[in-house]
């Protein structure tokens, strides 16, 4: 039986904490709409002229459309692994404390799935800022974000990918292109975008990142009805999905207001806990896995969990790995958990030309 058939209809009536309440459409941040310069969908290949005009990041070619392309000549860990396993190092929700991470596991690709800052650093920002050049010209970056970008440059990984989260509220109204060029040049920044990693000229991996949550009056906020449309935009051929919001029922139990709330999905009472994950997001992840492409879904947002799980409701040919990379237990926790490591068998990924 599909997991969504056992979700209680009463779950939608649960009280939500103020931060997580669904916003009305009138309060929807206009920053969630695509800037007119980013509405064009890339074809998947960039011309020689586009290569010359694209931003360069650690010798990678970055295209500012819907699809970015980077080219890698060497991935030593994968090359030396007898099983050709690609190691993805995943963390999330570092909330200003990224520099407290002392142990860096070996890996080929590093991914951070949002909340690099804390909302308290953006006191002068509004949740509904309109995307304008004036806003970008007067942009004041939180100190932790500046520090985070410098920290990224020191990480020992060939590829570094970042999305933002609901606490990164200062980026509402700021274009993805501005964030990539001016704020996070030491990483590949994804906002409803994909990056194709080419290895020795051949397609290796396609990763898609999207930051949206249903948090209210926060960064990248969106109503439940509109966020479901965002999941439909995830490409069919994506290998790795990166979101800030968890899928429903997967390492997503967090603060709730009810002392006793029976959960039809878990078949037990939750004490002051409820599922923060999104049903439509999990449906989409399962659908993409069953099509034979999606191998892993990386997220954060819920600090109470940190680890890996396998999707048990998918009939896909390969397992769908979930990773909650939340690095701190609470917003004042200076102890940063070691990142998760996800191993992807490159022999299982279909040949893509």
């Amino acid at each position: 039986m599909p997991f969504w058939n056992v979700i209680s209809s009463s779950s939608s009536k649960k009280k939500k904490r103020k931060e997580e309440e669904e916003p009305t459409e009138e309060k929807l941040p206009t920053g969630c709409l695509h800037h007119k310069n980013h509405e064009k969908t890339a074809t998947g290949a960039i011309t020689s002229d586009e290569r010359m005009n694209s931003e360069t990041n650690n010798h990678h070619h970055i295209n500012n459309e819907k699809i970015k392309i980077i080219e890698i000549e060497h991935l030593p860990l994968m090359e030396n692994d007898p099983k050709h396993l690609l190691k993805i190092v995943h963390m999330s929700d570092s909330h200003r404390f990224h520099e407290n991470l002392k142990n860096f596991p070996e890996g080929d690709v590093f991914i951070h799935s949002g909340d690099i800052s804390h909302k308290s650093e953006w006191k002068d920002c509004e949740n509904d800022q309109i995307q304008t050049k004036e806003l970008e010209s007067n942009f004041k970056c939180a100190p932790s974000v500046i520090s985070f970008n410098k920290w990224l440059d020191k990480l020992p990984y060939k590829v570094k990918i970042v999305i933002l989260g609901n606490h990164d509220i200062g980026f509402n109204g700021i274009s993805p292109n501005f964030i990539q060029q001016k704020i996070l040049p030491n990483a590949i920044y994804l906002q409803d975008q994909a990056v194709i990693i080419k290895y020795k000229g051949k397609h290796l991996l396609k990763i898609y990142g999207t930051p949206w949550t249903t948090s209210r009056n926060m960064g990248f906020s969106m109503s439940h009805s509109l966020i479901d449309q965002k999941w439909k935009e995830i490409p069919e051929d994506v290998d790795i999905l990166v979101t800030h919001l968890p899928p429903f029922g997967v390492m997503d139990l967090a603060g709730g207001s009810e002392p006793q709330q029976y959960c039809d999905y878990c078949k037990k009472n939750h004490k002051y806990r409820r599922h923060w994950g999104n049903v439509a997001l999990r449906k989409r992840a399962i659908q993409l896995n069953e099509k034979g492409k999606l191998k892993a879904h990386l997220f954060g947002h819920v600090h109470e969990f940190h680890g890996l799980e396998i999707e048990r409701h998918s009939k896909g040919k390969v397992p769908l790995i979930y990773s909650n990379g939340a690095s701190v237990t609470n917003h004042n926790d200076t102890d940063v958990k070691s990142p998760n490591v996800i191993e992807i068998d490159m022999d299982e990924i279909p040949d893509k030309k």
Side-chain angles (χ1 to χ4, degrees):
M1 177 183 294
F3 78 91
W4 50 86
N5 286 350
V6 297
I7 298 172
S8 172
S9 60
S10 64
S11 63
S12 62
K13 299 178 182 179
K14 295 177 184 178
K15 293 182 180 179
K16 303 176 181 180
R17 71 175 191 173
K18 184 177 180 181
E19 177 182 314
E20 290 292 316
E21 289 177 350
E22 176 178 318
T24 61
E25 293 193 15
E26 288 75 20
K27 291 186 177 181
L28 181 68
T30 52
C32 75
L33 303 176
H34 292 305
H35 189 274
K36 62 182 180 180
N37 292 333
H38 295 272
E39 290 178 346
K40 179 182 175 182
T41 301
T43 60
I46 55 178
T47 65
S48 58
D49 289 339
E50 287 173 322
R51 288 185 191 277
M52 293 176 63
N53 294 327
S54 64
E55 292 297 313
T56 301
N57 176 41
N58 295 333
H59 306 294
H60 303 157
H61 297 294
I62 295 181
N63 178 14
N64 291 320
E65 300 290 352
K66 281 289 189 179
I67 297 179
K68 302 181 179 185
I69 297 177
I70 61 173
E71 298 183 1
I72 302 292
E73 287 299 318
H74 297 288
L75 289 171
L77 282 178
M78 186 186 73
E79 292 166 356
N80 295 326
D81 190 297
K83 295 183 179 180
H84 299 293
L85 296 176
L86 181 81
K87 292 181 173 62
I88 297 175
V89 177
H90 172 227
M91 70 181 296
S92 185
D93 297 80
S94 49
H95 289 292
R96 303 167 293 178
F97 299 121
H98 48 273
E99 292 190 15
N100 290 1
L101 178 63
K102 304 303 180 184
N103 298 317
F104 295 92
E106 288 189 331
D108 302 289
V109 178
F110 173 82
I111 298 178
H112 193 293
S113 54
D115 277 6
I116 61 180
S117 64
H118 188 270
K119 64 179 181 180
S120 62
E121 299 181 88
W122 306 98
K123 293 181 180 179
D124 296 331
C125 295
E126 300 176 8
N127 70 296
D128 58 351
Q129 294 176 133
I130 298 174
Q131 196 173 82
T132 64
K133 290 184 178 179
E134 182 180 358
L135 182 62
E136 293 178 353
S137 63
N138 295 323
F139 181 76
K140 295 181 180 179
C141 194
S144 68
V145 178
I146 297 173
S147 169
F148 180 79
N149 182 63
K150 293 178 180 178
W151 177 77
L152 283 171
D153 194 41
K154 302 174 185 177
L155 298 185
Y157 304 108
K158 285 286 187 179
V159 182
K160 304 160 194 177
I161 297 170
V162 174
I163 70 168
L164 296 174
N166 61 309
H167 272 265
D168 303 314
I169 188 173
F171 292 102
N172 283 340
I174 305 299
S175 71
N177 190 27
F178 182 88
I179 296 171
Q180 175 67 87
Q181 294 186 29
K182 304 295 185 181
I183 309 301
L184 295 172
N186 289 329
I188 299 163
Y189 174 68
L190 299 180
Q191 183 176 321
D192 301 324
Q193 295 167 303
V195 57
I196 292 175
I197 300 175
K198 285 191 172 183
Y199 172 66
K200 297 185 182 297
K202 295 183 179 180
H203 184 123
L204 180 70
L205 207 63
K206 185 173 183 177
I207 302 172
Y208 186 85
T210 180
W212 307 100
T213 74
T214 50
S215 300
R216 186 174 183 177
N217 298 330
M218 298 284 283
F220 303 97
S221 300
M222 186 171 283
S223 69
H224 284 279
S225 59
L226 292 178
I227 205 169
D228 288 357
Q229 182 59 40
K230 281 293 180 185
W231 313 143
K232 294 178 182 178
E233 295 174 6
I234 300 170
E236 299 285 340
D237 61 345
V238 65
D239 298 304
I240 308 295
L241 173 61
V242 186
T243 65
H244 188 62
L245 189 67
F248 178 91
V250 182
M251 296 179 281
D252 69 333
L253 276 176
S257 59
E258 299 294 333
Q260 291 285 344
Q261 181 69 48
Y262 183 76
C263 176
D264 281 344
Y265 178 71
C266 297
K267 303 299 181 185
K268 63 180 180 181
N269 286 317
H270 294 316
K271 295 182 179 180
Y272 296 105
R273 289 288 184 269
R274 65 178 181 84
H275 292 284
W276 282 20
N278 184 269
V279 173
L281 177 57
R282 188 171 176 189
K283 284 184 180 181
R284 183 60 170 156
I286 291 174
Q287 180 188 47
L288 294 172
N289 175 252
E290 291 182 339
K291 289 178 179 291
K293 302 289 179 66
L294 186 64
K295 303 297 183 294
H297 178 188
L298 284 50
F299 55 89
H301 194 46
V302 173
H303 297 190
E304 287 84 344
F305 286 85
H306 177 272
L308 303 173
E309 283 190 15
I310 300 294
E311 174 59 68
R312 62 185 185 276
H313 292 285
S314 177
K315 298 178 181 179
K317 294 181 180 179
V318 297
L320 171 57
I321 303 170
Y322 290 117
S323 173
N324 183 336
S327 299
V328 296
T329 303
N330 59 63
H331 295 161
N332 296 315
D333 188 359
T334 58
D335 292 330
V336 177
K337 300 180 180 71
S338 181
N340 294 331
V341 178
I342 302 97
E343 295 183 335
I344 304 297
D345 188 342
M346 300 313 299
D347 291 335
E348 292 181 347
I349 293 181
D351 184 30
K352 302 171 187 175
K353 299 180 180 179

